[in-house]
Amino acid sequence: MSFCNSSWDVKIYIVTWNVSTKFPENISLNKLLGLENRPEQDTHLPDFFVIGLQEVNAQPQNTLFNLFKDDLWTQKFKEVLKERDYVVIKTEQMQGLLLSVFARRKHLLHLRQVETEYTRTGLGGIWGNKGAVSIRLNVYGSSICLVNSHLPAHDHMLEERISDYERIVQEQKFHIKAKESIFDHDYVFWFGDLNFRLTGEATTSADEIRAMVARDELKQLIEKDQLLLVRREGRAFQKLQERLPQFPPTFKFEHGTSEYDMKRRPAWTDRILYAVNENNYRNVRLTVEQTSYKSHPSYSISDHKPVTSEFTLKISRKSQYNAEHFRKYHNNRLSYKLAMANNTDIHSFDDIVADLTDGQVYEDTTERTITFRPIDLWLVGEPNTIEYVIPTGFEESNADWIGIYRENFTSLSEYLAYEYTETYKDKQHQLNEQQIQHLQNTRTVQLTFSENVSLPLGERYQLLYFQSTGTRGVTGLVGISEPFAVEKRCPSPSFDDID
């Protein structure tokens, strides 16, 4: 991620791959992820990796295994990316659909309001072999929605693919104000095995398609692409953009080879599309640049070839005003609007600002982070008093929680134990004026993790503070302590121990 005086860039690398129920055995993922063989050789790492897989092996025994550990594919990607200091932010799985987001560790405190959603469309909506899983999050104040979907197969199922797309758009609802639906977000990335085929089934055979690919007649062939046609007609995916594939069709191949399986007509089933709401805010302009879009034919464990794309998300200032200046600038107009509020739909300051500007004001709230006081020593199984400072404007909740992690954790789901915090407001009636003044920004919390929690001595740990709304796991990491050691107090000698 790069910054300048008036803009910032975020680089995202997206992978989509139908893995055809195969396991990631004896394969290297480095080339797929654009990585070198050794971490020190990597010179241009993205800020985020987004991995969308379809047809992950979802047999009952594997589903049970995944309740206690990451699925084998997530483990495989994690092994590669942890060496580059990436952390799993969130993983969502619905049967064979799997979506994971990895972020470089330096960005962890700048992510907010992470939430997942899913939609089943198989068997009329009761089966999850088809549908979509999504992860939405705020990154440095900008909202991003990531959708991994698997739509109905076969040439003649075009109408069903369109219907499933519409169902996903209508049914996926998030719990973030003004960002409830997929296309409310600043940036949308929609990818997966979309299963769109080539028109002309009666006139263009599988052999003819293969011959056109061999002659590098991809431009003529892509004009028959169903996805391109329905977008042009405004029937589906019309809000999204796509750089037309300049790589050969990614389906269907003989397993273990790069030879097309002539039982099916080759097609570009595996796609990555995007959308940006450039004018969501009055004071900034949002843009996205797609810097690569390619397939990876050397991977042959599946009948699909994986597809990747890299994007650079840009936010540029459109005016000289930051949020505070903006508020001051409009202060002289505020009184009039407040006076009129009882007779309008204006109910808050944000509503007034939106009414004054015909749009939202972009503001990065991720600088509001919790600061932990240094922890000299942690005693296992005993009450430990910690202290942290909250920033001005930070909203505490009874659903906020603090987890204990190993140093250099590789996933936000790897907490060893956690406890909910108690907001200072709940305790104010017990405190005197001096204590209340101290609590305006400083919190003192007593945490006791059970002796049954595995905290091996000799290792170092960190506390992580999560801000949570308490609604379906909407959460964000807002504080990380410095690493600290743990000790177990020696027991007092008994009478029998005394000579």
Side-chain angles (χ1 to χ4, degrees), residues 143 176 178-188 277 280 360:
S143 61
I176 307 301
K179 307 294 180 186
E180 291 92 347
S181 67
I182 291 172
F183 290 107
D184 288 337
H185 290 76
D186 300 338
Y187 299 95
V188 177
N277 287 309
N280 260 8
Q360 302 179 66

Side-chain angles (χ1 to χ4, degrees), residues 427-469:
K427 297 182 177 182
Q428 275 195 355
H429 66 280
Q430 304 172 6
L431 306 175
N432 59 39
E433 186 175 340
Q434 183 177 1
Q435 290 172 320
I436 291 175
Q437 185 64 35
H438 174 70
L439 282 175
Q440 291 303 312
N441 290 99
T442 303
R443 306 286 178 265
T444 301
V445 175
Q446 194 173 82
L447 301 178
T448 305
F449 297 125
S450 168
E451 289 191 44
N452 296 326
V453 175
S454 178
L455 297 176
L457 306 183
E459 296 188 29
R460 288 165 65 81
Y461 301 88
Q462 292 178 282
L463 296 180
L464 274 61
Y465 188 113
F466 288 87
Q467 185 181 33
S468 177
T469 65

